[in-house]
Amino acid sequence: NAGVTQTPKFQVLKTGQSMTLQCAQDMNHNSMYWYRQDPGMGLRLIYYSASEGTTDKGEVPNGYNVSRLNKREFSLRLESAAPSQTSVYFCASSALGGDTEAFFGQGTRLTVV
Amino acid sequence: GQQVMQIPQYQHVQEGEDFTTYCNSSTTLSNIQWYKQRPGGHPVFLIQLVKSGEVKKQKRLTFQFGEAKKNSSLHITATQTTDVGTYFCAGPGFGNEKLTFGTGTRLTIIP
């Protein structure tokens, strides 16, 4: 079982460029999340999707958009990258929101120059 | 909004010493979860506590959920080099739709 798959693993962008981070899970989970991790800041929630067809803002949504394409896939888009978005991004999924354990992807290390 | 804080932020211990990290939520939680992230890795689920005052053990790790269900702790007895990493607590937000993570405690071991 693949679990949660994120692509790409590494990416370097120039300021102002756009890109989409892809995430897919094969566990038939309802809930999916995007977090960013910065040194000393823990894991901060960007957006989440409680179920297919729904998305909602987390703690740090500015500069990002998401799409819950279907039950399996949840993508994160940076429309105009900024150096402040340099971070490690994690996608995660859980069966039933915060009531069940979350499974994480391997992460995407993004650098914006 | 909900806030989940952890202390300490960093902890350096000699191999064989004990280690404890504390987690405090601004709101009552229906459950608390603990995760471990190895350096360069992704968070991995360790355990979930649901009941008020619950205590669970996994080998050298002891997890507690406070009576008011707003705080929790993780205690590691006789640390080993394999315990190195960052430990996060996490709890559900309003409506239990999302998982809010604590700030994490980074544990390093001095051999």
Side-chain angles (χ1 to χ4, degrees):
Chain A
N1 290 334
V4 180
T5 304
Q6 275 183 249
T7 56
K9 287 187 169 55
F10 301 93
Q11 184 72 51
V12 178
L13 289 178
K14 293 183 179 179
T15 298
Q17 285 185 320
S18 62
M19 80 161 294
T20 300
L21 280 63
Q22 306 287 352
C23 175
Q25 52 92 8
D26 62 2
M27 295 172 282
N28 200 36
H29 284 170
N30 289 304
S31 305
M32 296 187 74
Y33 311 85
W34 277 104
Y35 293 91
R36 61 176 288 174
Q37 186 173 34
D38 304 294
M41 301 294 289
L43 291 157
R44 293 185 292 170
L45 184 64
I46 305 171
Y47 271 93
Y48 67 98
S49 171
S51 61
E52 183 180 359
T54 69
T55 61
D56 210 341
K57 295 178 180 179
E59 182 185 354
V60 288
N62 291 344
Y64 306 95
N65 285 301
V66 290
S67 295
R68 183 76 183 264
L69 304 169
N70 47 55
K71 194 170 186 179
R72 289 188 63 249
E73 298 172 287
F74 189 39
S75 62
L76 178 72
R77 183 161 178 83
L78 287 70
E79 290 291 351
S80 180
S84 61
Q85 294 178 305
T86 293
S87 187
V88 179
Y89 291 85
F90 288 101
C91 176
S93 71
S94 66
L96 287 173
D99 285 341
T100 52
E101 69 178 278
F103 294 80
F104 282 78
Q106 300 293 317
T108 297
R109 187 172 295 275
L110 175 67
T111 302
V112 183
V113 297
Chain B
Q2 180 194 29
Q3 290 187 327
V4 182
M5 302 299 293
Q6 278 182 257
I7 55 170
Q9 189 174 1
Y10 301 95
Q11 186 79 56
H12 311 283
V13 300
Q14 292 275 354
E15 187 174 6
E17 291 183 340
D18 292 356
F19 159 78
T20 303
T21 174
Y22 301 91
C23 174
N24 290 285
S25 171
S26 58
T27 59
T28 301
L29 300 170
S30 61
N31 75 89
I32 190 88
Q33 300 174 26
W34 284 92
Y35 292 77
K36 177 182 178 181
Q37 183 179 24
R38 294 184 186 276
H42 60 281
V44 175
F45 175 81
L46 292 176
I47 207 162
Q48 181 185 40
L49 305 170
V50 178
K51 299 177 184 177
S52 170
E54 188 171 13
V55 178
K56 285 188 176 181
K57 292 190 176 184
Q58 288 181 348
K59 297 182 180 179
R60 296 178 293 104
L61 278 61
T62 302
F63 304 84
Q64 292 188 329
F65 199 10
E67 294 290 340
K69 300 183 78 173
K70 294 182 71 173
N71 61 288
S72 181
S73 65
L74 158 60
H75 180 81
I76 302 178
T77 303
T79 54
Q80 300 175 358
T81 55
T82 53
D83 296 324
V84 165
T86 301
Y87 293 85
F88 292 98
C89 62
F94 180 77
N96 290 354
E97 290 183 338
K98 60 181 179 179
L99 204 54
T100 298
F101 279 77
T103 44
T105 296
R106 183 175 176 181
L107 172 65
T108 56
I109 306 290
I110 305 165

